[in-house]
Amino acid sequence: MNRLPILLVLMVSPALFAGCSTNKTDPAEKELRESRWSSVRSQVAMRDARIHIAEGNYERAKRELDTALALGSDTPRLRLMLARLAIERGRYREARAHLDRTDALRPGLGETAMVRGLLAEVQGRWADAAGSYRLASARAPTNDQARLAEVRALRAADRDGEAQIAMAEHLRARPESAVLLAAAAEDALHRGESHRAVEYYDRSMQMAPAALDMQLARGLALHRGGHHEAAVEALAPHVKAGASKEAHLALARSALVLDRYDLSIRTLQALVHEHENDAEGWYELAAAYFLTDRPQLTLESLRQALALRPRYREAVELLGHLRLQAGQLNHALAAYHMALDLGASPEALGPVMQIARAGRAERSEQRRLPVRREDHVAQRDGYGAVPPPPPPPPMTPGS
């Protein structure tokens, strides 16, 4: 008898029997497979919902989240997503219901308080929003965004004093937070406390690598505080394409105070190249050209500024100075009269108008007047804006 087929049968049979046994329905295994599939499907639905929310497709996002909920994923994370989505859709009662369910699933969650603050904020209930954000920061002490949101909500509720107290409290609680220090610096800058703003920016930059925006903001604070050398040092390496108009102007104005005309003009040229419809940039460039005795470039830049803003008082004044410098006395007087109509100071323009009238009486329109640059660039407003350059001095006999 051939024993080989028998051995083969004995070897194969257990596998066949095993295969037959796995085909039998096992309720526990089936339930496990279904549970795993539901979990995976829920995760996919939530992922797709986030994508749809980012795209602004809230209806599709809602369908995906409802699918996840129907599959049994009633979790705090899902409920918070549903609450945020309801807020986006303006369904505030629905959002509140999802937040209540989140509290029931996991009490004391900091993110729940954050979303409650957002809900109050979009409804204009700023005091309630501030309370929710304070609760969120208490539940999650390292959540600096919650602390800043509380300060913002207090300001929106016209409770500026409480907002300043809250900011001071948060800084005492987290003195090492670069985010809070940067926010405190920005707040000080808006209040006109440039020196304190620089202090906060310096501390913030010690705590974390400084982002470009923070470096530019620090330079702006230095400029507004009158630290022009430090401002140029801080701003010059970073004011490039894409930097804000404010950063360009701060660098150009500080450079002008330091008589660094080339840097000032290059910066303003870059500004008007990037923002060609900015009348202020063209005026500042014209003033810089005037102070370096380049009348043709001054006139071209003034024409750009006045084409964009015909009633630009400072530009009209500068045009009068330019005409006076060139001996075009009638044109100078016309520009000065227009500047007065636009609100220029009669006390400031009176002397130069007298010069123009005297020159016209002497029939001296063709005589070119000397130009003298005075220290007027040091007389700036709180933001360092360049005033109209001074007129040339009176003519002396024989000049």
Side-chain angles (χ1 to χ4, degrees), residues 135-348:
L135 178 60
S137 63
R139 290 177 175 178
T142 60
N143 187 346
D144 293 330
Q145 296 305 319
R147 297 176 185 272
L148 295 179
E150 179 197 355
V151 174
R152 184 186 69 244
L154 287 170
R155 289 202 184 103
D158 293 326
R159 293 158 62 175
D160 291 336
E162 293 179 56
Q164 289 191 28
I165 293 172
M167 176 60 82
E169 289 177 354
H170 295 323
L171 280 174
R172 283 194 296 271
R174 285 181 52 75
E176 77 290 352
S177 169
V179 173
L180 290 179
L181 287 167
E186 184 177 352
D187 186 46
L189 194 59
H190 285 307
R191 294 199 307 270
E193 300 175 3
S194 302
H195 296 284
R196 178 162 292 186
V198 172
E199 175 190 341
Y200 283 136
Y201 279 128
D202 287 341
R203 287 172 56 189
S204 177
M205 293 168 69
Q206 289 174 0
M207 298 300 171
L212 177 59
D213 288 346
M214 188 181 299
Q215 291 172 331
L216 292 174
R218 178 178 176 273
L220 182 60
L222 288 165
H223 164 74
R224 291 187 180 179
H227 304 290
H228 297 295
E229 288 188 12
V232 169
E233 182 181 354
L235 291 169
H238 305 296
V239 175
K240 300 175 182 176
S244 68
K245 169 186 170 180
E246 290 74 18
H248 278 89
L249 288 178
L251 175 57
R253 289 165 176 171
S254 285
L256 200 61
V257 171
L258 301 173
D259 294 340
R260 296 181 61 178
Y261 302 116
D262 288 345
L263 175 59
S264 180
I265 289 172
R266 283 200 311 272
T267 304
L268 292 168
Q269 287 173 336
L271 171 61
V272 297
H273 178 74
E274 193 164 343
H275 303 279
E276 59 183 11
N277 294 324
D278 186 82
E280 186 178 14
W282 283 108
Y283 163 71
E284 295 274 348
L285 181 59
Y289 282 141
F290 182 84
L291 295 172
T292 53
D293 195 20
R294 293 186 240 187
Q296 187 58 39
L297 291 174
T298 304
L299 182 60
E300 291 173 5
S301 297
L302 278 177
R303 283 173 173 165
Q304 292 283 355
L306 290 169
L308 293 165
R309 196 191 303 175
R311 298 177 64 79
Y312 196 157
R313 179 178 60 80
E314 292 83 357
V316 173
E317 284 187 46
L318 179 54
L319 180 60
H321 296 337
L322 185 64
R323 296 306 192 191
L324 184 61
Q325 178 198 53
Q328 299 170 355
L329 305 183
N330 289 328
H331 292 299
L333 283 169
Y336 289 144
H337 281 297
M338 182 178 179
L340 288 173
D341 291 341
L342 295 174
S345 168
E347 292 77 12

Side-chain angles (χ1 to χ4, degrees), residues 27 102 120 175 226 267 306 321 373 380 396:
T102 306
T267 304
L306 290 169
H321 296 337
R373 180 189 186 278
R380 297 163 177 266
T396 57

Side-chain angles (χ1 to χ4, degrees), residues 319-337 351-370 391-395:
L319 180 60
H321 296 337
L322 185 64
R323 296 306 192 191
L324 184 61
Q325 178 198 53
Q328 299 170 355
L329 305 183
N330 289 328
H331 292 299
L333 283 169
Y336 289 144
H337 281 297
V352 293
M353 295 180 73
Q354 183 60 36
I355 294 172
R357 292 191 186 101
R360 186 173 59 177
E362 297 173 6
R363 308 179 65 84
S364 58
E365 286 86 347
Q366 304 303 317
R367 301 172 67 181
R368 183 175 177 83
L369 302 177
M395 294 179 61

